[in-house]
């Protein structure tokens, strides 16, 4: 029998999955000493790009992330997405008319087919594929 993971354990699993995908895409990962809405930083040394990332377990928008250049990372159907928060608000504009958003936040899982298509440019990857590639490279 498999025990249900606590929310803290799920966050560790999700963080490790995201780190796996980020490494597979050529990013280095840094963890801030103080979390003020940023769980990790992704750095591409090849391009100099830095992404300030808030890790979520599902598609999430929140007014506290607005205008701060924060990227929201979340899994859906085995894939990870890393999306600028303010772009995520625009993509999910239909959700900004809900009672939940009126209180300042909105989240959902799974995402709709239409949202998945809109988020395609932000699809980050599947940790399982990265792990399989690492195993293949280790045996070459």
């Amino acid at each position: 029998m498999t025990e249900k993971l606590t929310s803290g354990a799920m966050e560790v699993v999700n963080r490790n999955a995201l780190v796996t995908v980020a490494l597979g895409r050529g990013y280095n990962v840094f963890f801030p000493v103080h979390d003020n809405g940023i769980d990790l930083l992704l750095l591409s040394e090849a391009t100099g790009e830095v992404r300030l990332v808030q890790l979520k377990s599902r598609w999430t928008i929140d007014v506290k992330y607005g205008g701060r250049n924060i990227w929201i990372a979340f899994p859906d159907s085995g894939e990870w997405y890393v999306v600028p928060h303010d772009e995520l608000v625009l993509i999910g504009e239909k959700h900004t008319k809900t009672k939940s958003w009126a209180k300042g936040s909105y989240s959902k899982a799974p995402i709709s087919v239409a949202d998945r298509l809109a988020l395609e440019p932000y699809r980050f990857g599947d940790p399982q594929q990265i792990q399989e590639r690492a195993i293949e490279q280790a045996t070459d």
Side-chain angles (χ1 to χ4, degrees):
M1 178 176 170
T2 304
E3 289 189 41
K4 184 176 179 181
L5 295 175
T6 65
S7 62
M10 265 316 285
E11 185 172 348
V12 171
V13 168
N14 282 338
R15 183 176 58 231
N16 289 340
L18 179 60
V19 167
T20 297
V21 175
L23 292 171
R25 290 185 57 114
Y27 287 89
N28 201 344
V29 181
F30 299 89
F31 299 99
V33 173
H34 173 66
D35 177 354
N36 189 25
I38 299 166
D39 292 322
L40 53 94
L41 289 88
L42 300 179
L43 168 65
S44 169
E45 292 181 27
T47 66
E49 177 188 19
V50 176
R51 294 182 183 182
L52 310 174
V53 179
Q54 173 59 226
L55 177 64
K56 295 295 181 186
S57 62
R58 53 197 277 155
W59 187 103
T60 301
I61 55 177
D62 195 306
V63 294
K64 68 183 175 186
Y65 303 131
R68 295 181 54 200
N69 193 31
I70 291 178
W71 294 64
I72 304 297
F74 64 93
D76 186 78
S77 301
E79 292 281 342
W80 276 87
Y81 294 84
V82 180
V83 187
H85 175 268
D86 295 346
E87 180 68 18
L88 198 56
V89 171
L90 293 175
I91 291 169
E93 189 172 11
K94 61 188 169 278
H95 305 301
T96 60
K97 313 230 182 334
T98 64
K99 289 180 184 178
S100 177
W101 180 248
K103 294 178 183 176
S105 65
Y106 181 85
S107 66
K108 68 177 183 168
I111 60 176
S112 68
V113 172
D115 285 342
R116 193 171 290 118
L117 288 172
L119 291 169
E120 182 60 28
Y122 302 104
R123 188 167 54 87
F124 208 56
D126 177 351
Q128 185 67 35
Q129 291 176 351
I130 305 300
Q131 290 170 331
E132 289 171 3
R133 194 169 79 211
I135 290 168
E136 286 175 15
Q137 290 176 1
T139 59
D140 286 347

